[in-house]
Amino acid sequence: MTFKLTHLALLLGLTIVLSSLLGIVATYRAADNEFKEVLQADLKHQSQLLAMLASKTTFTGNQLEQLLQQNLRSENEDTLWVNLYQGDKDVTSNLDHHLPLKHKGSGPVSRYFQQHLWHGYQLQHGDLVVQLLRRDDLSQQILRDVTKAILSPVLLGGSISLVLLVLLLSLFLKPLTRLAQQLEKRSAMDLTPLNVNTSAEEIRTLENTLNQLILGVDEVLNRERRFASSVAHELRTPLTTLKIELASPDPDLAAIRQESDRLARVVEQLLTLARIERGHWQQRFKTVDLGEQLSTLLPRYQARFGDKAIAFNWKLAPCLVNGDATLLQVLVDNLLQNALRYCPAQSQVQLHLNGQGFAVIDNGPGLSASQRQDMAKPAEYLDNKSEGLGLGLSICRQIVEVHQGVITFEDAKPGLRVKVSFKAEG
């Protein structure tokens, strides 16, 4: 079952209103019953005192009547109507009347007098009957005052609850509705950040979390697109060559072997790039002494450079990097491989390692300013005929990125300087 939060909020508001109304009714009824019981008990108690006083004190009728009229007659909420009957008709009262006694005995009594209904208590004490009554309208006024005093906090609390509910709707539900509407309008390709203008901290936290998730998805999709582009670019040339040679009546076996080897190297680099793109390498990072790592790699390259009549020398210094030794070796290997591939005979290639990183410097043909700028782009390829130049540079960029480093391509005048800087360890 599904429902909207606005419907739930509306139901909550109605519940608050109904609860307040039911509380008012229940409070009024309880106060009414309790008030009547208190009045009845009070009148009964006063009737007993008055009966005892009248039976033990000798008053003439006029004296008793004057006493009652002087002390009890008033026109306010405390007005009492007092009747003392000796026999059925002889009555002494604080109010001027000659109404007969309706019945003898003790218990609640009601009478109509001066266009008002009176309720009270009647007590029989021997031949003496005492009646104490209150006017209904004055009693109800007392009840209304008491009820008002009781219900004022209830009404105030209900009003505050409704105001808080309105604020809740304004601060939370409206921004949530806007957020839901933005998400509903999104397509799978629209990964722009969400924008919900709200002062509620919880909604801002939700917005930031969703935007971080969207940014992560966007980065993953971009990596997948770059990887797919790399695969298509790097495999196109060797596959085309193999197709042509295999379709020929006299295929060149040496060319087929060369393109097969090239294809194997490209696939190996693609697998390396795919592993880097997954972003699982940081879990295996540890402190690596890059100088010690390169001391075993560089001598192997000296012979390969020598075969092309290229002078290769290096200078190593301690360099501690928080990273993966295999990836760092692949980084240096790709940069040296590119220098080996593009530098002509009689060139010079140098590798300098210091405490912050290393640089590979050659005095070959170098690159133009626009080409050096293009090399910083993630999906840029400089040569679609080489053995994975674009892919190799993409791998280098990714390795430097996962190590939180920076790679730059500078003009060595002549030649090219590739500089890699790492974040200082410790």
Side-chain angles (χ1 to χ4, degrees), residues 122-397:
Q122 174 177 296
L123 175 69
Q124 183 170 358
H125 186 74
D127 293 334
L128 179 66
V129 176
V130 179
Q131 292 182 346
L132 269 70
L133 303 97
R134 286 182 180 272
R135 268 175 49 177
D136 255 12
D137 57 329
L138 298 178
S139 299
Q140 290 298 320
Q141 182 61 44
I142 297 175
L143 178 60
R144 284 192 292 269
D145 292 341
V146 172
T147 305
K148 182 179 178 181
I150 295 174
L151 294 182
S152 294
V154 176
L155 294 175
L156 179 61
S159 301
I160 293 175
S161 299
L162 288 176
V163 171
L164 292 177
L165 179 61
V166 172
L167 289 177
L168 177 66
L169 290 173
S170 177
L171 292 177
F172 287 91
L173 293 188
K174 286 185 178 179
L176 279 177
T177 301
R178 290 198 299 268
L179 184 62
Q181 289 173 348
Q182 288 189 35
L183 291 173
E184 287 176 354
K185 295 177 181 178
R186 292 293 180 92
S187 64
M189 302 304 296
D190 185 3
L191 295 177
T192 55
L194 299 168
N195 184 17
V196 180
N197 186 16
T198 177
S199 57
E201 183 178 352
E202 293 80 1
I203 303 299
R204 290 202 306 270
T205 301
L206 176 61
E207 177 188 359
N208 293 334
T209 303
L210 287 175
N211 283 334
Q212 291 176 4
L213 178 61
I214 290 174
L215 180 61
V217 172
D218 191 36
E219 291 178 354
V220 170
L221 290 178
N222 286 332
R223 287 200 300 266
E224 295 298 329
R225 294 188 190 102
R226 291 198 300 268
F227 181 74
S229 177
S230 300
V231 171
H233 181 86
E234 299 296 338
L235 295 182
R236 184 184 300 114
T237 301
L239 289 177
T240 300
T241 303
L242 287 175
K243 183 177 180 180
I244 294 173
E245 292 297 333
L246 292 175
S248 172
D250 186 18
D252 187 348
L253 296 181
I256 292 176
R257 186 178 301 107
Q258 181 180 2
E259 291 300 322
S260 298
D261 293 340
R262 177 183 175 185
L263 189 60
R265 286 191 295 272
V266 169
V267 170
E268 182 180 356
Q269 286 192 322
L270 287 173
L271 292 175
T272 301
L273 181 61
R275 289 194 292 268
I276 297 174
E277 295 281 10
R278 292 192 193 103
H280 296 162
W281 292 89
Q282 287 89 341
Q283 301 174 4
R284 308 191 310 178
F285 277 8
K286 61 182 181 180
T287 301
V288 177
D289 187 345
L290 192 55
E292 181 180 348
Q293 184 81 9
L294 295 182
S295 63
T296 59
L297 172 67
L298 299 182
R300 298 201 300 266
Y301 264 93
Q302 191 164 31
R304 298 174 64 181
F305 278 105
D307 292 342
K308 292 191 63 176
I310 299 175
F312 176 56
N313 56 75
W314 61 87
K315 182 179 179 181
L316 302 180
C319 181
L320 299 180
V321 180
N322 181 38
D324 183 84
T326 301
L327 287 182
L328 293 172
Q329 182 169 329
V330 171
L331 169 63
V332 177
D333 184 76
N334 277 345
L335 293 177
L336 293 178
Q337 187 69 29
N338 283 336
L340 180 64
R341 186 178 302 119
Y342 288 99
C343 288
Q346 309 308 319
S347 298
Q348 293 184 358
V349 177
Q350 304 175 45
L351 187 147
H352 293 167
L353 178 67
N354 54 40
Q356 288 75 42
F358 67 91
V360 177
I361 310 166
D362 66 69
N363 62 351
L367 296 172
S368 66
S370 62
Q371 286 177 318
R372 292 196 305 273
Q373 192 173 16
D374 289 340
M375 290 177 73
K377 299 177 181 179
E380 190 65 31
Y381 297 91
L382 300 181
D383 186 357
N384 60 3
K385 297 180 181 179
S386 65
E387 294 185 3
L389 171 62
L391 185 57
L393 289 178
S394 180
I395 291 175
C396 291
R397 282 190 293 263

Side-chain angles (χ1 to χ4, degrees), residues 65 68-70 72-74 79-83 92-97:
E65 185 173 349
L68 293 177
Q69 290 177 356
Q70 290 173 0
L72 295 176
R73 184 164 186 173
S74 61
T79 297
L80 283 176
W81 180 19
V82 181
N83 297 320
T92 301
S93 176
N94 63 324
L95 299 180
D96 189 14
H97 75 89

